[in-house]
Amino acid sequence: MRTWLLNLDPITKGIWLLSTGLAAIVTLNLSWQSAWFGAVLAIGLSGADWSLGRWGKTLLWLLGFGLPLFLFQWLVLPGETPWLRAGGLVLTAEAYRDSLTLTLRAMTLFLSSLLYASTTAPRDVVVALSHHMRLPDRFAFAVAIALRFVPLLTEEAARIRHAQRMRQLAPPRGLGERLGIARRYGVTVAANALRHVQEVATAMEVKRFGAVATRTHWRRLRFAPAGIGVAAASVVAAAATCLFG
Amino acid sequence: MQHRPAERFSLRSLTLSEWVLMALLAAANGVLTSGLSWVNKLLHSMGGPMLTSSLVGLYMIYGLLAMYIIRKPGAALMTYALGACIQILVGTAYGAWSAIAAAACYAIVIEPIFYLFHYRHYNWGAMLFVGTAAVPLWFVVSAFMFGYIQYESWVLIVTLLIRCLSGMLLCGALTKVIGDRLAPTRAVRPFALGRDYREHQG
C-alpha cells in the first residue's frame, strides 16, 4: 500500500516544500529551527515509505555533512561568551547556538528536498505545470523532456567515461594531462548529447506538437484532503515562523 | 552577412529544437548538480562558503551555454527556469528556494547584459565579463539565505573574490571553450552558433 506522502499531488506537496524552505531560511531561532527539522523528519518517517537502508544512508549523509559544518561554523562564527578553551582557541556560546541553528537549517532544506523528489512522479508534475498552473505547453514539455534526458545523459556519460578510460593505457599524470582528459570527456559528452536534440525535435514536430491551441490531458491530478490540509498547515506554520520565529 | 536575432523576448521566437536544446542543457545541469551537490556539501562542511565557492561557476554554465548557442532573447532565462524545475524534481541539497533564487539571480543579470550587447557579442572579453557579473547578486542573496552574513567580513570578501574568479573561469571561459569546440560540429548547425560559424568560415 502507498503511504500518504506518495498519494499527495505535486502542487500541495510543492506548497509544503516551499513553506518549509521559507520558514527554515527566515528563522534564526534555534527552537523554531529544531521544530521544523523535527516536523520534516516526522513527515518523512510516517509518509515517505523509505526502507531502513535508505534512511540509514540519508541519516549518514546528514551527519556526514552536518557535523563538520557545525564544527567549522562554531570556529568561525563570532561570539562573546567564552564556553570552551583549547590552547589559543576560544569557542563561544553564541557561536555554538548560531552554528547549530544554521546546520539544522541546511539539514531541513536537504531532507525536505529529498522527500519531495523521491515521492513525486515527474509525469504528475508536467500535468500540474501545464494543466493546473497554466504554464505554456512548451515549457511544461521541456521539463518533461529534461526529466527524460537525466537518466539517458547519466548512462551515456558513464559509457563515455569507461570507453575513454579503457583507451588510456597508463593512468594520467600531472594536472595538464588530467585537464586534457576532462576537456575531451566534456566535449564528447556534450556533442553526443546534442545529437539527441534534432531527433527529439523532429519526432515532436512529426507528432504535431503545439499545432493545436488547447491540449487535452489523459492524466488527472487528484487533490486529496490530506494534501490540502498539509499545504494549509505548512503555510500557517511558515507565516507564524516569519512573524514570531 | 551576420545573423541578426530578434531582440524582443517571446516564447514563440524560440523554435522547438531550441526548446529541446534548453531542456537538454537543464537536464545536464541536473545531472551535474546532483553529482556536485555532495562534493559541494563536503566542501561546505570543511571550508564553509570559501571552499564551496570554488565550484560556483559550474552551476551557472548551462544558461550561459544556452545563450552562446541559441543567441536569442530569453534563452538564458528559460534555460535557468527549466534548470530550477529539474533541480527541484531530482532533489537538491540546498533546498527548492535556493534552486529558484539562484536561477532567477543568474537570469536577471545575464539576460540584460546580452540585451545591451544586442545578442551579438560573444568574444572572450564579453564571456569572461558575463561569467563574473552573474556572481555578485546570487552571492548577496545566498549570504542571507544560508546565513553567511553571520560570518566575519574578511570571510565574505574572500568568498566573493573566489566566486567571481570561479564565475569568470568555470562559467565564462569554459562556456567559450565548449561552445567553440562544438561550433564546427553537425549538432549545432541548426542553431545561431553553427550558422555564425559557417558564415564566418565563408
Side-chain angles (χ1 to χ4, degrees):
Chain A
M1 198 184 130
R2 282 159 61 94
T3 49
W4 67 272
L5 206 51
L6 290 160
N7 287 325
L8 299 192
D9 63 280
I11 295 180
T12 49
K13 219 179 333 180
I15 294 171
W16 163 73
L17 177 73
L18 293 176
S19 305
T20 305
L22 183 69
I25 288 164
V26 165
T27 184
L28 274 172
N29 182 304
L30 182 56
S31 314
W32 283 88
Q33 204 66 255
S34 311
W36 275 102
F37 180 69
V40 172
L41 200 60
I43 286 171
L45 284 168
S46 64
D49 199 21
W50 283 2
S51 64
L52 268 179
R54 186 161 191 186
W55 271 112
K57 237 188 251 177
T58 306
L59 291 176
L60 205 65
W61 255 110
L62 282 171
L63 288 176
F65 81 76
L67 205 59
L69 179 64
F70 167 71
L71 291 173
F72 173 81
Q73 291 183 137
W74 196 6
L75 286 171
V76 298
L77 284 171
E80 283 164 4
T81 321
W83 200 29
L84 278 175
R85 282 177 199 276
L89 209 67
V90 182
L91 297 170
T92 64
E94 291 84 3
Y96 169 81
R97 191 197 55 225
D98 290 345
S99 174
L100 193 58
T101 310
L102 293 175
T103 306
L104 277 172
R105 171 192 286 181
M107 284 161 60
T108 305
L109 292 173
F110 171 68
L111 189 59
S112 60
S113 171
L114 204 61
L115 285 172
Y116 183 83
S118 68
T119 59
T120 308
R123 281 183 179 187
D124 287 343
V125 176
V126 176
V127 176
L129 291 175
S130 171
H131 189 58
H132 297 276
M133 294 167 78
R134 305 273 173 207
L135 284 175
D137 286 336
R138 284 182 177 226
F139 185 86
F141 278 83
V143 172
I145 294 165
L147 285 170
R148 185 74 193 91
F149 270 133
V150 170
L152 280 177
L153 288 180
T154 314
E155 202 179 297
E156 276 188 4
R159 222 171 26 231
I160 291 166
R161 193 172 57 242
H162 285 308
Q164 288 192 341
R165 202 175 286 166
M166 284 184 80
R167 251 179 254 142
Q168 190 137 14
L169 296 173
R173 275 184 299 182
L175 187 65
E177 204 173 324
R178 281 173 209 276
L179 281 176
I181 289 171
R183 201 185 61 219
R184 274 200 303 280
Y185 172 67
V187 172
T188 313
V189 170
N192 208 42
L194 282 171
R195 274 194 308 110
H196 295 301
V197 172
Q198 278 314 305
E199 293 166 10
V200 175
T202 309
M204 288 173 82
E205 270 164 10
V206 166
K207 289 183 173 182
R208 301 189 71 232
F209 177 83
V212 184
T214 48
R215 292 189 70 86
T216 50
H217 295 269
W218 175 75
R219 237 176 140 86
R220 295 271 168 199
L221 291 185
R222 202 174 60 83
F223 295 94
I228 297 167
V230 167
S234 50
V235 168
V236 170
T241 310
C242 292
L243 288 172
F244 311 111
Chain B
M1 195 184 92
Q2 177 120 22
H3 168 70
R4 298 184 70 162
E7 286 181 18
R8 267 190 60 214
F9 169 62
S10 149
L11 286 180
R12 289 270 158 198
S13 72
L14 295 162
T15 65
L16 204 52
S17 303
E18 286 162 351
W19 275 103
V20 179
L21 173 71
M22 292 190 297
L24 182 126
L25 288 170
N29 177 66
V31 174
L32 183 82
T33 308
S34 57
L36 276 181
S37 62
W38 314 110
V39 180
N40 216 1
K41 271 286 183 205
L42 280 178
L43 289 175
H44 196 171
S45 311
M46 291 185 294
M50 284 185 291
L51 266 189
T52 193
S53 293
S54 57
L55 294 179
V56 86
L58 289 176
Y59 290 101
M60 299 151 48
I61 196 169
Y62 67 113
L64 192 57
L65 189 58
M67 182 58 93
Y68 192 77
I69 297 174
I70 295 169
R71 305 185 174 190
K72 276 185 187 173
L77 174 72
M78 286 296 126
T79 312
Y80 281 125
L82 287 170
C85 284
I86 300 306
Q87 278 181 46
I88 292 170
L89 292 174
V90 298
T92 163
Y94 289 95
W97 281 111
S98 92
I100 295 167
C105 289
Y106 298 147
I108 282 171
V109 175
I110 291 175
E111 282 288 343
I113 292 177
F114 278 106
Y115 177 79
L116 293 175
F117 287 165
H118 300 284
Y119 301 94
R120 265 178 255 158
H121 296 292
Y122 297 92
N123 54 27
W124 272 101
M127 296 308 286
L128 294 181
F129 171 69
V130 175
T132 313
V135 168
L137 181 61
W138 170 231
F139 174 71
V140 173
V141 173
S142 65
F144 285 96
M145 206 176 238
F146 299 120
Y148 300 164
I149 202 76
Q150 309 277 329
Y151 291 13
E152 304 274 5
S153 41
W154 70 267
V155 178
L156 295 176
I157 293 166
V158 173
T159 304
L160 179 62
L161 289 175
I162 295 172
R163 280 190 177 217
C164 286
L165 200 65
S166 175
M168 186 167 71
L169 298 176
L170 293 182
C171 179
L174 200 57
T175 299
K176 181 81 179 147
V177 169
I178 294 174
D180 288 351
R181 290 288 296 263
L182 289 173
T185 63
R186 280 173 70 93
V188 294
R189 270 189 200 172
F191 305 108
L193 172 67
R195 284 196 297 269
D196 283 357
Y197 176 81
R198 286 202 305 280
E199 279 170 14
H200 195 70
Q201 294 296 101

